[in-house]
Amino acid sequence: MSDTPNKNKSLFADETIDGQIATLNLGPTHPATHGIFQNVLTVDGEKILGSVQTVGYIHRAFEKLAERRPYNQITPITDRLNYCSSPINNMGWEMTMEKLIGVEVPKRVDYMRVIIMELARIADHLVCNSVIGVDTGALTGFTYMFQEREKIYELYEEVCGARLTTNIGRIGGFERDFSPTFHTKLQKFLKEFPKRFQEFDDLLLRNRIFMDRTIGAGAISAERAMDYGFTGPNLRAAGVDYDVRAMNPYSSYQDFDFILPVGTQGDTYDRFCVRQEEIRQSLKIIEQAYKNLPEGSYFSPDVPEFYLPSKADVYTKMEALIYHFKIIMGETPVPVGEVYHAVEGGNGELGFHLISDGGRTPYRLQFRRPCFIYYQAYPEMITGQTISDAVLTLSSLNVIAGELDA
């Protein structure tokens, strides 16, 4: 192409290298775009003059699927949003329903949820930061940290029997209490993980090649990040200390002592550093929650109409059989109302806007997906950068296709 279309002039940088402008498709393909989405780049040599992103390749209509399902069957749908930290999605939805029906769960449930959600946050950040390492040419840290993520998945298995898409927990609590094996594995993880994580940190944090590749790549100011609606690590890397856990505490997060790491430049290096420190803070929260884990029930006794009874009771007690049937068939009365509940997901504020008309399924359910919001800024962040910077910037934003295209 000889020139840039006039209608897109504002999207493009003014300076060129040699004036030989070309159009390049970045994606949709692994490993460059880490998912099924496309970026149409206008380039001059290696320099990106402008970009237009295309989304929707993996769109599965999660919101519309949820509006056709009984409330207790929506949890598995949330798994497929950010599948790197599924339990946070699951529990965010369960808390949304608890807000609608007016149920307060026992303190033990809060602490159990915190432990699982912070393990999920660690797993999510490990994937993001180890992939940033891969995109700078450092594969070792990626394989090394996946061994640690495997141990978190083993903890999931002990709670719910699943690993990646967990469908973990229930409206009102958990299906079962933490098993003795879970306690053993968690204690081992808390003892061994910090040393191995420090080795990963030492591999990259002050590595000259890594720093040269990441410092200044894909930077965004705090003002622009807020204009776009950034939340989570990507906003905190730009210098804004907003975190749902601290600003609007849920699940007893107000009981725990932790800090919010923030950056200054909002570039790939800052996003890496913020996630590294958040992993340490998550470990700190887990240790506090586990040490002070309250006694009591692992589910709320106030919601028998939403909480599936045990199989032993279903087989022997008429009342349990009736509840089981009503819950599975979606025949449980739900109050009319409108609620919004947000949790701090792996990528930022994950919100659920639920409207109930009293029917067996939601009248409207909308997910606030962090990926969908901050991916809008991607063209601005890579304009004037190189193609390799574009790949690196996309990794550091941690764009998860399932969450982006829900």
Side-chain angles (χ1 to χ4, degrees), residues 319-341:
E319 185 180 55
L321 178 60
I322 292 171
Y323 273 128
H324 186 278
F325 176 83
K326 291 184 67 174
I327 292 169
I328 294 299
M329 300 306 293
E331 299 301 331
T332 303
V334 176
V336 175
E338 181 175 355
V339 297
Y340 176 79
H341 183 71

Side-chain angles (χ1 to χ4, degrees), residues 125-346:
H125 287 356
L126 286 180
V127 173
C128 180
N129 278 4
S130 61
V131 167
I132 294 174
V134 170
D135 288 340
T136 61
L139 180 62
T140 301
F142 178 83
T143 55
Y144 196 46
M145 284 297 99
F146 261 46
Q147 296 180 65
E148 301 309 306
R149 192 183 75 157
E150 182 73 13
K151 294 170 184 175
I152 295 176
Y153 282 4
E154 289 177 3
L155 288 166
Y156 294 168
E157 281 186 293
E158 286 299 322
V159 178
C160 66
R163 295 163 50 81
L164 183 67
T165 50
T166 51
N167 189 25
I168 201 169
R170 290 181 177 172
I171 297 169
F174 284 82
E175 179 186 2
R176 60 179 73 90
D177 205 349
F178 289 162
S179 68
T181 304
F182 176 90
H183 288 280
T184 300
K185 289 185 175 182
L186 180 61
Q187 292 165 7
K188 184 178 180 182
F189 177 81
L190 292 174
K191 180 180 179 181
E192 297 178 352
F193 176 77
K195 178 181 178 181
R196 292 170 182 169
F197 177 68
Q198 187 60 48
E199 291 173 349
F200 172 72
D201 194 72
D202 293 341
L203 178 69
L204 295 177
L205 189 65
R206 304 302 297 171
N207 182 294
R208 175 49 55 191
I209 298 173
F210 183 80
M211 294 175 70
D212 287 346
R213 285 294 313 279
T214 56
I215 293 176
I220 187 169
S221 68
E223 291 75 18
R224 290 301 291 158
M226 289 190 290
D227 286 344
Y228 277 109
F230 274 35
T231 56
N234 295 329
L235 179 62
R236 292 190 284 274
V240 181
D241 61 346
Y242 175 76
D243 187 307
V244 181
R245 295 172 297 174
M247 306 306 173
N248 296 291
Y250 55 91
S251 200
S252 296
Y253 267 106
Q254 67 275 10
D255 295 352
F256 306 109
D257 177 33
F258 62 100
I259 65 170
L260 304 179
V262 295
T264 56
Q265 304 301 315
D267 58 12
T268 296
Y269 188 71
D270 272 358
R271 288 189 283 273
F272 175 87
C273 291
V274 164
R275 285 188 173 91
Q276 288 292 95
E277 183 56 35
E278 286 189 5
I279 289 173
R280 295 189 178 92
Q281 295 302 313
S282 289
L283 280 172
K284 183 178 177 182
I285 293 171
I286 294 170
E287 288 170 347
Q288 294 174 69
Y290 187 61
K291 178 181 178 181
N292 301 306
L293 188 63
E295 297 295 330
S297 176
Y298 55 89
F299 65 92
S300 173
D302 299 332
V303 282
E305 64 271 29
F306 285 96
Y307 189 87
L308 282 170
S310 69
K311 287 296 182 183
D313 287 345
V314 171
Y315 293 150
T316 58
K317 299 176 182 177
M318 178 56 70
E319 185 180 55
L321 178 60
I322 292 171
Y323 273 128
H324 186 278
F325 176 83
K326 291 184 67 174
I327 292 169
I328 294 299
M329 300 306 293
E331 299 301 331
T332 303
V334 176
V336 175
E338 181 175 355
V339 297
Y340 176 79
H341 183 71
V343 296
E344 182 68 25

Side-chain angles (χ1 to χ4, degrees), residues 60-70 72-82 89-90 93 165 167 352 365 367 402 406:
R60 284 173 283 184
F62 289 150
E63 292 177 350
K64 291 305 172 188
L65 285 173
E67 290 167 13
R68 300 295 184 272
R69 288 189 174 212
N72 67 299
Q73 294 183 23
I74 293 174
T75 307
I77 292 177
T78 66
D79 278 334
R80 277 74 180 171
L81 298 173
N82 183 352
N89 310 339
N90 299 159
W93 163 245
T165 50
N167 189 25
F352 301 86
L365 177 59
F367 302 135

